Each structure stands twice: as structure tokens, then as C-alpha cells.
Amino acid sequence: YAIIPNTLADNVRDRIKEDMSSAFVTYSRDFGKLNMEAGLRYENVDFKYYDDGKYMAEQSKTYGNWFPSLALSLPVGKTQMQLTYATDIYRPSYNELRSGVQYDDQYTYESGNPFLVPSITHNLTYGLSWEWLNLQLVYSHISDEVCTMTQTYRGDPMLSLTRPENINSYNSFQAGL
């Protein structure tokens, strides 16, 4: 696509080619009242990035990720308990990976970031249910989360550029009743 006016932003001719394959296996078993379900997913992504027809090796990525999951559930009288672990991934959208700069208004520009990496989240969840009352506790470790950042653009404090960036890993805890 081309951005108009050309004096404010460069023309962009990006192309992305992505091949993805995945496999999943799951196993479930009861141990008395305890139910266990374990799963494992593998995803392979081959992502090729081209700028104006030229292959960009630094911006192209190949990912092979394993995503384990485990769920244990146990009824105790009128109470139901569950402990789960799962790994999730967020892959940036093509819009977030674009390299061009878009004019939004006289003060605001936005762009993508072709150097973004996927964000991976590890979740450990405990759930407790008793009659109509539910308690849920969630501990998460998030790596390389994609967040939108704003900075001045072209050295002019009146102009801002918003762009997605990967941020440092962090831990999160949530509780709900």
C-alpha cells in the first residue's frame, strides 16, 4: 500500500508469507474421584518477511513451540476443586508487524513493528466451587507482551507516533469470588 502524502511517510511494499502446522495429543484418566487430563500441543510457524520484494532475514522468523496443559479436578462433598496449568501464545497481527507509518491526524501517526516476537503466557489456575459460590485464583507469567507505546515523532514534541513494542517479562496474580 502507499501512504499519502509522500512527504510525511514513506511508501511501503511489505509482503508476509507464513506457513503453520500443529499437532495435539491429550490423555485423560480417573484416579478414584480425581480426574486428570494432560495435553501437549506443538506448533511450527515459518514466517518470511519481504520489503519491496527483498527477503529480510532479520525480520523473518521460524518458531517451534511446545504448549503443555494439565488439569486436575476433584469433588469433595458439595465442593468441586480444579487445578489447571496451561501455556498460551499471542502472535502479533499482520497489522502490528507492518513497517509503514500511517497518518492519523495532524498530531498523530502510527506504525507497526516488524521486529515483534510472540508473547507466551504460563497460567496456573485454582478453582473452587461450592453451591452458587465460586473462587478462582490465577497466577500468570507473561513473556514479551505486546503493548502499544507512544513517543515523539521526527523530533517534534507536537507529533506523536504510536507503535507496538515487546515489554519485559512480568508476573500477574488475579483473584475472583
Side-chain angles (χ1 to χ4, degrees):
Y1 60 92
I3 303 294
I4 306 289
N6 288 344
T7 58
L8 297 176
D10 299 325
N11 284 341
V12 178
R13 292 181 184 90
D14 295 349
R15 186 168 65 92
I16 296 167
K17 182 177 184 222
E18 183 177 84
D19 294 312
M20 179 189 291
S21 59
S22 64
F24 182 81
V25 64
T26 186
Y27 176 76
S28 181
R29 181 164 181 190
D30 291 328
F31 299 95
K33 290 184 176 183
L34 176 69
N35 175 267
M36 180 208 63
E37 186 171 317
L40 185 62
R41 186 176 83 240
Y42 177 76
E43 290 184 3
N44 182 275
V45 177
D46 186 17
F47 178 87
K48 292 183 172 67
Y49 184 86
Y50 299 87
D51 185 10
D52 200 19
K54 181 180 175 194
Y55 175 73
M56 308 300 286
E58 191 172 287
Q59 292 158 281
S60 298
K61 311 259 188 286
T62 300
Y63 300 107
N65 299 98
W66 292 96
F67 302 102
S69 63
L70 177 67
L72 302 171
S73 58
L74 178 70
V76 179
K78 292 183 179 182
T79 304
Q80 177 70 31
M81 293 184 286
Q82 186 172 40
L83 181 66
T84 61
Y85 168 79
T87 305
D88 298 315
I89 191 166
Y90 170 80
R91 288 192 178 86
S93 69
Y94 294 129
N95 188 52
E96 290 173 315
L97 292 168
R98 73 191 191 281
S99 63
V101 176
Q102 173 181 319
Y103 172 84
D104 289 345
D105 61 44
Q106 62 184 350
Y107 303 109
T108 312
Y109 294 79
E110 68 178 89
S111 76
N113 181 353
F115 297 101
L116 291 174
V117 298
S119 175
I120 295 179
T121 304
H122 299 272
N123 294 306
L124 183 62
T125 304
Y126 174 75
L128 177 78
S129 298
W130 177 73
E131 293 187 5
W132 55 270
L133 191 61
N134 295 306
L135 170 70
Q136 186 172 24
L137 306 172
V138 182
Y139 168 79
S140 301
H141 178 77
I142 299 102
S143 300
D144 300 313
E145 184 175 24
V146 177
C147 292
T148 301
M149 305 296 211
T150 303
Q151 60 193 36
T152 58
Y153 185 53
R154 295 194 169 177
D156 185 342
M158 295 297 291
L159 301 178
S160 66
L161 174 69
T162 59
R163 158 187 169 122
E165 299 285 344
N166 289 111
I167 63 171
N168 293 335
S169 299
Y170 66 94
N171 298 317
S172 169
F173 181 76
Q174 300 171 4
L177 182 63

